[in-house]
Amino acid sequence: GIGKADAAFVIERVMDRAARQLGIDRAEIRLRNLVPEEAFPFRTVTGALMDSGRYETCLRKALDLADYAALSQEAVELRKLGVCRGVGVTIVVEPTSASRPGVGMGFASCRLVVTPQGDVLAYSGTSQQGQGHQTTIAQIISTELDLPLDSIRVILSDTDVTPHGFTAGSSRSTTVLMSAVCRAAESAAAKIRAIAAHRWNVDPADVRLVDSAAEHGAERMSFREIAEVAYIRVDLLPPGMAPGLEVIGTFVNPNIDYERDSRGRANAFASYPYDACVAVVDVDAATGLVAVRKYVSVHDCGVEINPRIVETQHIGATMQGIGLALMEEMPFSDDGTPLASSFLEYLLPTVYDLPEEFILDKIITPTPLTPLGAKGVGETGTLTAPAVLASAIEDALGAPYVRLNELPLTGERILRALRLARAPEGASHDS
């Protein structure tokens, strides 16, 4: 979430400050200022063109799952007893699939081949780093052609055979790559139907693809038989159809402004998933260490092609966000020498840093801009965790007298913030 996490942190800190100053609950001030569902697509004052969303529904679901009102009251009572407990709330939007003039990345491509044996080879123009692209690509093709997954082979990152493409940065793969895969599968399906329809002298629209075959009434041609026509019995192809069963599907971001408007604004992202969170923390007054007692996340990334992959990506992103919020730091000495030269000094979150209670839920609001209705998913949790944990820690330490502006919130910074929290009433400090 390079850059996005920084912006989200600043915006959410401002929202908390505004709520305190105006005497409005932190959840309420957000609910009052959310873009309503009927306003989408929504152009912001800075030029972002948000595709779809149900922000209020998402935030209210997170508040209900957490029992926000009861948690907030419990925290107040515990603080009276000397327990530094705090509750944080936030809702963050993640721009995904960045594209700018001269940089590219505004499209993706997939080459799909139905072999003479009736199997499928899919060549992705986009690489991956563990997101499960092979599974998702195969799943899309399997659904469109009604093929078993084990008859589909996905080839990634081999530039000798794959079409031109870009990296998997900016959570773009679901938006552009999977849309390109969908287009390729649709083109292959259309050619398969046309070959079978020509043999039976029927309308291709009346041909169905069922269990690795084309069917029309009692007629049936397996993909192997159709491939034999395409590659060998080319005399049986429809007039004007090229031999073979090879297609390339491409998808271009439709939501990118390559020219700025009269005010210098331009939208540089394809879609805008979002995440609403409530977090509960306890802060140890002796060590400054933070224990995340409860973490509730409700996110919306549009249609989930593979819900299990989406869930694990969101959990992983959230844990990265927790690391950014509480421990990950690259400090330097006054002369510029790095002080963290190994993972003994540069701390990473482990399973022991998981929230004691982790509630993950979702709503699904399809984007109208992609054929699958799917948005990006990879970074949303990373953006949200620092903002919501800072909100909760600030609450635990006695906001509004403490202002947390700097990440990560290490024990050293927490102890300093605790001292500032005990300053005379009316004092205001930055930490």
Side-chain angles (χ1 to χ4, degrees):
I2 298 173
K4 305 171 188 177
D6 308 297
F9 184 77
V10 172
I11 292 168
E12 291 303 297
R13 297 282 74 235
V14 169
M15 292 298 292
D16 276 4
R17 306 275 170 83
R20 306 279 189 196
Q21 186 169 335
L22 296 172
I24 303 173
D25 181 82
R26 288 168 294 158
E28 177 60 27
I29 196 171
R30 287 169 169 83
L31 289 167
R32 292 185 189 182
N33 286 279
L34 294 175
V35 178
E37 182 177 349
E38 62 273 13
F40 288 95
F42 181 79
R43 177 79 72 172
T44 72
V45 294
T46 56
L49 185 57
M50 296 178 169
D51 49 343
S52 65
R54 290 184 292 155
Y55 298 156
E56 181 177 350
T57 299
C58 187
L59 179 53
R60 289 194 183 279
K61 188 170 187 178
L63 296 171
D64 290 344
L65 285 172
D67 199 358
Y68 172 73
L71 287 176
S72 298
Q73 184 58 43
E74 180 185 45
V76 170
E77 298 302 322
L78 286 172
R79 288 197 294 269
K80 292 177 182 178
L81 300 175
V83 178
C84 293
R85 172 161 295 186
V87 180
V89 60
T90 190
I91 180 168
V92 169
V93 175
E94 181 214 345
T96 63
S97 193
S99 183
R100 297 170 182 84
V103 178
M105 300 184 178
F107 81 97
S109 52
C110 175
R111 175 174 163 239
L112 193 152
V113 179
V114 180
T115 71
Q117 292 74 37
D119 295 329
V120 170
L121 302 176
Y123 300 88
S124 168
T126 300
S127 60
Q128 63 105 33
Q129 306 92 22
Q131 298 97 323
H133 288 176
Q134 291 99 325
T135 299
T136 307
I137 289 171
Q139 182 179 331
I140 294 170
I141 296 169
S142 172
T143 300
E144 185 66 35
L145 301 182
D146 200 30
L147 282 168
L149 288 172
D150 59 9
S151 67
I152 302 168
R153 181 184 171 206
V154 178
I155 297 93
L156 301 174
S157 306
D158 184 346
T159 55
D160 281 341
V161 293
T162 58
H164 186 75
F166 299 96
T167 66
S170 193
S171 298
R172 75 179 68 261
S173 300
T174 302
T175 306
V176 288
L177 172 60
M178 301 310 164
S179 296
V181 172
C182 181
R183 294 291 189 234
E186 289 172 346
S187 296
K191 191 166 186 178
I192 289 169
R193 289 190 181 96
I195 293 172
H198 180 66
R199 175 170 176 174
W200 300 325
N201 196 27
V202 299
D203 189 332
D206 295 330
V207 176
R208 298 185 307 128
L209 303 186
V210 181
D211 192 20
S212 304
E215 289 186 352
H216 179 268
E219 302 284 2
R220 177 180 173 86
M221 282 184 73
S222 70
F223 280 9
R224 181 186 289 266
E225 293 173 306
I226 291 172
E228 181 180 357
V229 172
Y231 290 102
I232 301 172
R233 293 300 309 275
V234 295
D235 55 301
L236 299 179
L237 287 172
M241 178 179 285
L245 272 174
E246 179 175 334
V247 298
I248 292 182
T250 61
F251 185 80
V252 179
N253 273 340
N255 197 33
I256 303 297
D257 297 326
Y258 290 104
E259 299 291 336
R260 297 187 179 274
D261 66 14
S262 60
R263 298 173 60 185
R265 304 178 305 176
N267 178 59
F269 297 92
S271 67
Y272 291 82
Y274 52 96
D275 184 21
C277 288
V278 177
V280 180
V281 303
D282 285 344
V283 181
D284 189 317
T287 65
L289 296 180
V290 176
V292 184
R293 302 300 184 195
K294 189 171 188 175
Y295 197 100
V296 177
S297 168
V298 178
H299 71 111
D300 184 355
C301 62
V303 173
E304 297 184 356
I305 302 171
N306 187 304
R308 179 58 177 163
I309 288 178
V310 169
E311 179 184 36
T312 52
Q313 280 207 30
H314 191 67
I315 292 172
T318 299
M319 287 306 298
Q320 285 187 313
I322 290 174
L324 171 61
L326 301 180
M327 62 193 73
E328 293 192 46
E329 183 174 26
M330 184 64 74
F332 293 85
S333 66
D334 291 340
D335 64 0
T337 303
L339 300 178
S341 58
S342 74
F343 288 125
L344 292 175
E345 297 90 18
Y346 187 94
L347 301 182
L348 292 170
T350 70
V351 67
Y352 299 105
D353 300 298
L354 278 166
E356 291 182 7
E357 183 179 4
F358 195 173
I359 300 174
L360 177 63
D361 212 325
K362 63 190 176 187
I363 64 172
I364 295 175
T365 311
T367 175
L369 302 177
T370 67
L372 297 167
K375 306 180 182 183
V377 67
E379 300 159 89
T380 314
T382 308
L383 275 59
T384 313
V388 74
L389 291 178
S391 177
I393 295 168
E394 194 173 87
D395 187 50
L397 299 180
Y401 306 118
V402 174
R403 294 186 175 185
L404 301 176
N405 294 330
E406 187 178 2
L407 294 173
L409 294 165
T410 59
E412 178 185 1
R413 293 191 177 106
I414 293 296
L415 291 176
R416 187 190 315 146
L418 277 170
R419 290 194 297 271
L420 293 175
R422 292 162 181 161
E425 184 174 353
S428 179
H429 306 275
D430 285 348
S431 172

